[in-house]
Every structure is written in C-alpha cells, then in structure tokens.
C-alpha cells in the first residue's frame, strides 16, 4: 500500500521486516497456509490481528520478493470461507476494506480530495475503528485547508492506538498551517521524547522541525541545546502540566537551568498553590 503520512504506508516491504514464521499450520489449513506475525504497529494501524495467513508455497520468496498483500488477502478469503468464527472478524473487515485502500491510494495520488473523502467514509462504514482511515482523513482534510476537521480526524484516530506518533505528527503539521506555533512545537517535542523509539523516522523529523522552528540548535558537539524559541515550548509544557505538581516541579528546575527565571517563578507559584489545595483537602 502506498503512503500518506504513516511510515508503514511508504515502505511496501517494511511490514514483514520484523516478522517471522510462527509455526507450521498445515493441520489447521490443509497443508496450504502458514501464519505470519505482523509488526505490532502495522497490525494496530490496519486494525488487523498480529497473525495473518499466507501461502506456504510462497515462504521461500518472502526474503527475495517481500510480502505481497494480494496473497495475504487470498489466504484470508480462503480461511474465512471455510470457517466462520468471531476470531476471523478482522480478516473479513480487512478483505472488504482492501479494494477501497487501493482506490484511496489512486485518489490521493491524483489529489482528488473529495473522492478520497468518500472512499474513507466507505472504509469507516465497514470498520469504524480503523486507525489508518482517520490518519488518511486528517491528511485529506489538511490538504484542503480544512484544518479543524483535520485536527478532529487525527485526534479520533489517536484515541484508537497506543503508538500515536503518526497522529501527533499530523497534528503538528496541522497546527503549523493554522499558525498555532506553540501547539506545533509541543507536538513535535512530544514525538522527540518518545522513549520506545517505535517510529524513528518521526523522531528524526521532529528534531529537524524543532531546529527549524528555533526551539533547539546543535552545539559544537552536535548535541541539541535550547535556542531562542525554547521558551515557547516551556510555556506550552506549563499549560499541559498545570495541575500536576510533580511535573511542574521538574519543569521549574529545567527552567532555572535554562535561566528562564520569570517563567520558573510562575511555575513554582503554581506548585505552591497545588500544595495548599492538597493540604486543605487532606
């Protein structure tokens, strides 16, 4: 599948880069199919189980030719045709969505945004919990300068996934277009702080954006250090942590370290207010 904003759309063979054959499932599938393990993030975004059937005879070609969705779809069709159980529900949904994904790819390549909207609506009518549909919808709305709708689409999709860097990146790009610099800066910053490192390309882009927006700059050693717009980020962090005394305390220390004294005073005043409220309640 081709790409809009998520990395797994852009690299057709990445899907099985971390995959492995789990076991021979010939007893289950009549000597014809194996189960493959998808990358967890890919399964999450396509709303698929982490295991998908694949033709056993194609096992040797995976390394040389890569994973082919058409073959997986045919395997899903054969499997669900033979057995009808609740465990196969997501396979059935994906089979229905597959031709629409392809049409969506064509529509976005041609920048036929209205057609793309209609196709995404059809995908969501089949599977309202498909994160990739909301990711694409945000992109389509943003391309038409419908920024509020784009924001809503990204936020809906974000609620459906655990690893939400693609959605945060979409929000960051949308905030930039809306002129909401503080929101954009904070969104890129939150990606850059991803400890799990599940989306390295987004972390790299986030750091590049933060340098471009003059939040950070690189010193002679190549390390990221605060630049002239660093205070924008800290102000937004203050808003986000306004009722969290622990996070505000850490923020205050960071502000003192960067000699942002006025903002540090406000932060510690808020920490004091929260401590007074807590004492009164207890």
């Amino acid at each position: 599948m081709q790409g809009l904003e998520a990395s797994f759309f852009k690299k057709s063979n990445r899907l099985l880069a971390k995959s492995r054959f789990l076991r021979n499932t010939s007893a289950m599938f009549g000597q014809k199919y194996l189960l493959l393990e998808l990358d967890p993030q890919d399964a999450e975004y396509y709303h698929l189980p982490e295991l998908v059937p694949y033709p056993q005879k194609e096992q040797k070609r995976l390394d040389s030719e890569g994973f082919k969705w058409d073959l997986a779809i045919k395997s899903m069709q054969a499997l669900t045709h033979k057995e009808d159980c609740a465990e196969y529900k997501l396979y059935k949904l994906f089979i229905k969505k597959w031709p629409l994904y392809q049409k969506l790819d064509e529509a976005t390549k041609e920048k036929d945004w209205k057609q793309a909207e209609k196709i995404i609506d059809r995908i969501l009518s089949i599977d309202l919990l498909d994160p990739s549909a909301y990711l694409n919808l945000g992109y389509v709305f943003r391309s038409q300068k419908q920024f509020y709708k784009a924001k809503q689409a990204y936020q809906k999709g974000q609620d459906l996934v655990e690893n939400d860097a693609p959605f945060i990146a979409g929000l960051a790009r949308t905030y930039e277009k809306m002129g909401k610099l503080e929101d954009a800066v904070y969104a890129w910053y939150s990606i850059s702080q991803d400890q799990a490192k599940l989306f390295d390309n987004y972390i790299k882009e986030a750091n590049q954006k933060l340098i471009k927006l003059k939040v950070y700059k690189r010193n002679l050693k190549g390390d990221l250090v605060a630049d002239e717009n660093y205070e924008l980020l800290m102000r937004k962090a203050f808003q986000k942590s306004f009722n969290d005394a622990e996070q505000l305390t850490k923020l205050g220390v960071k502000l003192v370290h960067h000699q942002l004294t006025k903002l540090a005073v406000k932060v510690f005043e808020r920490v004091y207010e929260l401590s007074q409220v807590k004492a009164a309640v207890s």
Side-chain angles (χ1 to χ4, degrees):
M1 268 179 271
Q2 293 299 311
L4 294 180
E5 296 204 335
S7 62
F8 44 82
F9 283 131
K10 294 180 179 178
K11 297 181 180 178
S12 60
N13 288 336
R14 177 187 178 276
L15 186 65
L16 288 173
K18 300 179 182 177
S19 298
R20 56 188 172 86
F21 289 98
L22 294 182
R23 63 181 183 273
N24 189 310
T25 55
S26 58
M28 187 184 304
F29 300 144
Q31 301 292 337
K32 291 184 178 181
Y33 303 104
L34 296 165
L35 282 179
L36 297 183
E37 182 182 23
L38 301 182
D39 181 285
Q41 285 72 53
D42 299 326
E44 182 179 47
Y45 272 72
Y46 284 127
H47 200 204
L48 273 171
E50 290 190 8
L51 303 178
V52 296
Y54 204 75
Q56 184 174 1
K57 65 181 181 181
E58 297 294 329
Q59 178 176 358
K60 293 181 180 179
R61 298 183 185 179
L62 272 171
D63 290 336
S64 59
E65 298 181 15
F67 177 85
K68 295 182 180 179
W69 273 110
D70 287 335
L71 294 177
I73 293 293
K74 289 179 181 178
S75 301
M76 291 181 201
Q77 289 171 331
L79 177 61
T80 56
H81 177 72
K82 291 181 179 180
E83 295 187 56
D84 186 12
C85 59
E87 287 80 2
Y88 297 160
K89 179 181 177 181
L90 294 183
Y91 291 154
K92 289 183 175 181
L93 294 179
F94 191 79
I95 291 167
K96 292 179 181 179
K97 293 184 294 182
W98 173 245
L100 295 173
Y101 285 143
Q102 295 175 307
K103 290 180 180 179
L104 177 60
D105 181 40
E106 294 175 4
T108 52
K109 281 181 178 178
E110 295 174 2
K111 298 185 178 181
D112 188 348
W113 306 123
K114 293 302 180 184
Q115 180 64 13
E117 279 185 53
K118 292 178 182 178
I119 295 169
I120 295 171
D121 284 342
R122 289 177 64 190
I123 293 173
L124 290 173
S125 71
I126 295 169
D127 184 2
L128 194 60
L129 301 179
D130 184 330
S132 70
Y134 292 104
L135 187 65
N136 286 305
L137 187 60
Y139 173 81
V140 167
F141 280 139
R142 197 179 78 240
S143 298
Q144 298 176 87
K145 298 183 179 181
Q146 298 182 44
F147 301 128
Y148 182 72
K149 288 185 177 180
K151 176 184 173 183
Q152 286 184 313
Y154 288 131
Q155 289 174 333
K156 284 181 181 179
Q158 190 177 10
D159 290 338
L160 298 175
V161 297
E162 181 179 352
N163 303 299
D164 58 357
F167 288 101
I168 299 176
L171 284 168
R173 298 181 187 114
T174 302
Y175 290 139
E176 286 183 31
K177 294 291 186 180
M178 296 171 75
K180 294 187 174 182
L181 185 59
E182 283 188 15
D183 291 296
V185 163
Y186 191 82
W188 288 122
Y189 173 75
S190 65
I191 295 174
S192 74
Q193 299 302 298
D194 179 17
Q195 298 299 315
K197 306 296 183 186
L198 295 172
F199 292 97
D200 289 342
N201 57 320
Y202 284 103
I203 296 172
K204 182 179 179 180
E205 181 184 2
N207 286 332
Q208 290 173 342
K209 285 283 188 177
L210 291 170
I211 291 172
K212 183 178 180 181
L213 294 169
K214 295 186 177 182
V215 176
Y216 289 125
K217 60 184 177 182
R218 293 199 181 276
N219 61 18
L220 295 176
K221 294 181 180 179
D223 299 325
L224 290 175
V225 295
D227 203 353
E228 60 187 76
N229 284 334
Y230 183 75
E231 189 171 353
L232 285 178
L233 171 61
M234 294 296 98
R235 284 205 300 263
K236 195 64 184 180
F238 183 21
Q239 293 175 17
K240 291 286 185 178
S241 304
F242 196 68
N243 293 313
D244 188 331
E246 183 179 350
Q247 291 300 316
L248 287 176
T249 301
K250 293 178 181 178
L251 177 62
V253 172
K254 186 182 293 186
L255 290 168
V256 171
H257 175 74
H258 289 285
Q259 299 181 339
L260 296 172
T261 309
K262 290 183 179 180
L263 186 55
V265 169
K266 291 182 180 180
V267 168
F268 284 122
E269 284 176 347
R270 179 58 183 166
V271 172
Y272 177 74
E273 289 173 2
L274 290 173
S275 66
Q276 293 296 101
V277 170
K278 184 178 180 179
V281 172
S282 59

